[in-house]
Amino acid sequence: MRKILTMVLALIMICGCAAAQIPGNLDNGGFVDTANGEVVLCTNDGIIKIGNDGVIKLSDDDASMLSIAGERIYYLKNKIGTDEYGDTSILDQTPMSMDLSGGDAIALGEARRVGMSTDYEEYKYDTFVGYAGFTVYADRIYYLANSGTDGTYTCNMITEDENGNETTQ
C-alpha cells in the first residue's frame, strides 16, 4: 500500500496537475491535492502536507473532498458517529477552509446531515446528501444539496465578494 501511495504522490507532483479536479479523485472522496510542489492529503489522522520540509500535520479534522484554490485549502469536515442502525459512519459534514499552513481555519457553512432516515410506519424515506460533489473551481465552491422537498436537490455555489463576504447561490 505504501508503495502504491508513493507512486501516486510522485505522479501527481511530476504532472503538476490539480489533483482535486481529476474525476477519479473526486469520485473517490477527494483525498489529495497539490500546491506549490507540495502534496496535501487527508489521512485517518487528519490533514497533512508532504513537501520539502517533510511531513507537516495541518489539522486533526476527519476530512474529505479536499481542494486547493489560491492560497486556501477547502474540504468537508466529517463528523463521525453511530447511526440509527448502530453502524459507525459520517453523520454530518461542514465545509471548511484554512490557509496552506493549516492556520485561519473557518467554517464556510452549517453542518448538513448525511445518511438516510426511514419511517416505516408512515412509509417515509429521506436521503440527506450533506454537501455531495463538493469541489472548488475558479474560486467558486460547488455542491449538491437537499432542496427541502423529498427527492429533489439543487446545485449550490458559494462565492465571495470584494469585501470577503460569502454568499450562497
Side-chain angles (χ1 to χ4, degrees):
M1 178 67 175
R2 183 182 295 248
K3 190 181 248 185
I4 292 171
L5 180 60
T6 303
M7 289 180 355
V8 169
L9 295 177
L11 181 62
I12 291 169
M13 292 180 84
I14 290 168
C15 292
C17 55
Q21 305 309 323
I22 297 172
N25 187 50
L26 293 172
D27 287 344
N28 291 309
F31 294 107
V32 63
D33 202 352
T34 60
N36 306 323
E38 298 178 309
V39 176
V40 179
L41 182 68
C42 300
T43 70
N44 291 338
D45 296 322
I47 301 173
I48 62 170
K49 180 168 58 173
I50 304 170
N52 295 332
D53 297 331
V55 178
I56 300 169
K57 189 169 191 174
L58 302 178
S59 171
D60 289 326
D61 291 344
D62 184 291
S64 61
M65 302 310 290
L66 185 127
S67 292
I68 298 174
E71 297 296 313
R72 305 279 306 170
I73 300 170
Y74 297 87
Y75 63 96
L76 292 178
K77 179 178 179 179
N78 300 315
K79 178 182 174 186
I80 306 296
T82 305
D83 65 16
E84 63 185 277
Y85 305 106
D87 298 323
T88 300
S89 63
I90 299 172
L91 300 179
D92 65 43
Q93 298 174 316
T94 304
M96 300 290 294
S97 173
M98 66 179 160
D99 63 32
L100 291 173
S101 68
D104 190 31
I106 55 172
L108 301 175
E110 64 187 11
R112 289 184 184 262
R113 190 169 168 194
V114 177
M116 296 176 286
S117 174
T118 307
D119 183 345
Y120 292 109
E121 291 180 18
E122 294 188 29
Y123 301 104
K124 288 184 179 179
Y125 177 82
D126 253 337
T127 301
F128 301 99
V129 297
Y131 289 90
F134 180 88
T135 192
V136 178
Y137 181 75
D139 295 330
R140 289 194 164 86
I141 299 171
Y142 297 91
Y143 62 93
L144 184 69
N146 292 83
S147 65
T149 306
D150 290 349
T152 60
Y153 306 95
T154 181
C155 182
N156 295 322
M157 176 176 63
I158 299 174
T159 58
E160 191 174 277
D161 67 16
E162 63 276 354
N163 297 322
N165 300 314
E166 294 177 358
T167 59
T168 301
Q169 301 174 336

